Amino acid sequence: MEITFNLNDGLWYFIYQHLAKETGGIQPWQFLLLTSAFVIISIVAGYLLGSINSAIIVSRIFYNDDIRRHGSGNAGLTNILRTYGKGAAGFTLLGDFLKTAIAVAIGGILGGFGYFGGISIGGIPQGTFPLTYIAGLFSIIGHVYPIFYKFKGGKGVLCTAVMALILNPIEFAILLALFIIMLVISKYVSLASVTVAVLYPVVVNGHIAIIKGFMETPPATGILLFITVIIAIMIVYMHRENLKRISNGTERRFSIGHKEKREDSSEEHS
């Protein structure tokens, strides 16, 4: 039977099949070397791509400025929107979308996307090392702690949303609807962001638990669960000051038509 490459299985499985065909089976050292190399590539590529902060780049190119000097001091979409307006926010959104999508795509090409039942369980083999999620996680870490900008970046909400859109489209739609509802009701971007971040590992792993019953060989999803929980914890941690201000009533509410004064640096948002 001819061995062909496909994105659902990825390059790892393609190489594995070739080795198995030529030698009658893959040796433990070959498995370890191949897997380790692909995991390292996914981590490094994800982190470096994530460290390309679109908000900082947009503020420097179009305004000869640094977004971290204004508003919240946060290099993220909300601060860009409040400080410079919708046009700058649009470019920031595009940049953050592309860098996260490319990072996840690299993980998918290497390890496979592993789509089944409307969700990605990509990994080598059978979800053991989900390179799509590993690359996505390190893209988010790079966005929050970018090596190119003295480890001071955004809060990872947009990058997480892009990752979810690609890997968990059903969960993305559910969480986006919930985010919008909470934002409309509360007017707190931070509260809506934290809520959907906490629910992200719940809905993703709940979905996977359901589809496992329809699979002949259920995948090992321990690392995937760990990654989604880490993402949720990181986003909550990055919003800790917002949550304090919400509790004491000093957090500013979101208004899409309002632009912050650039000299205001008293608050922090998503």
Side-chain angles (χ1 to χ4, degrees):
M1 186 176 67
E2 184 182 358
I3 299 173
T4 58
F5 171 80
N6 70 80
L7 284 176
N8 217 41
D9 293 329
L11 184 60
W12 187 95
Y13 189 64
F14 178 75
I15 296 173
Y16 172 86
Q17 286 181 306
H18 269 286
L19 289 173
K21 182 178 180 180
E22 293 175 3
T23 64
I26 186 169
Q27 299 298 314
W29 69 268
Q30 292 175 317
F31 177 91
L32 181 61
L33 180 62
L34 183 61
T35 302
S36 300
F38 279 18
V39 169
I40 291 171
I41 291 171
S42 298
I43 289 173
V44 173
Y47 178 74
L48 292 179
L49 282 165
S51 292
I52 302 171
N53 191 289
S54 304
I56 296 174
I57 292 172
V58 167
S59 66
R60 287 182 177 177
I61 291 178
F62 293 102
Y63 302 95
N64 193 28
D65 200 358
D66 189 333
I67 183 60
R68 294 171 294 181
R69 296 173 51 201
H70 304 292
S72 64
N74 178 51
L77 181 64
T78 303
N79 199 28
I80 278 280
L81 176 62
R82 283 175 162 156
T83 304
Y84 302 116
K86 298 176 185 177
F91 282 112
T92 301
L93 176 64
L94 177 62
D96 284 351
F97 180 93
L98 288 175
K99 74 177 185 182
T100 308
I102 292 171
V104 172
I106 290 173
I109 291 170
L110 294 177
F113 284 92
Y115 285 112
F116 185 91
I119 192 170
S120 170
I121 53 172
I124 47 177
Q126 282 291 306
T128 304
F129 296 98
L131 297 187
T132 48
Y133 288 88
I134 291 173
L137 169 64
F138 278 88
S139 176
I140 296 167
I141 293 174
H143 179 79
V144 175
Y145 302 108
I147 192 172
F148 304 132
Y149 304 105
K150 299 180 180 179
F151 302 100
K152 184 180 180 183
K155 296 186 178 179
V157 176
L158 178 56
C159 294
T160 302
V162 175
M163 175 179 166
L165 173 62
I166 298 171
L167 303 179
N168 326 110
I170 296 174
E171 287 71 26
F172 171 81
I174 294 171
L175 294 176
L176 177 61
L178 179 60
F179 176 88
I180 293 172
I181 291 170
M182 289 200 63
L183 182 59
V184 169
I185 293 174
S186 71
K187 298 295 190 298
Y188 290 131
V189 177
S190 52
L191 181 61
S193 299
V194 167
T195 301
V196 297
V198 170
L199 290 175
Y200 177 58
V202 177
V203 295
V204 168
N205 291 281
H207 187 172
I208 291 175
I210 293 172
I211 67 172
K212 275 186 176 183
F214 298 92
M215 303 178 74
E216 292 183 5
T217 307
T221 55
I223 293 181
L224 195 154
L225 171 61
F226 176 77
I227 288 173
T228 54
V229 170
I230 287 297
I231 290 173
I233 291 173
M234 185 162 54
I235 290 177
V236 173
Y237 175 77
M238 295 305 297
H239 286 84
R240 62 195 183 283
E241 295 301 325
N242 301 81
L243 297 176
K244 289 179 183 178
R245 288 195 294 272
I246 289 175
S247 67
N248 61 33
T250 59
E251 175 79 336
R252 185 167 296 177
R253 294 177 187 268
F254 181 75
S255 175
I256 197 167
H258 178 69
K259 187 186 292 188
E260 301 286 342
K261 293 181 179 179
R262 295 191 191 176
E263 65 270 21
D264 177 14
S265 60
S266 60
E267 300 205 28
E268 186 173 356
H269 303 281
S270 303

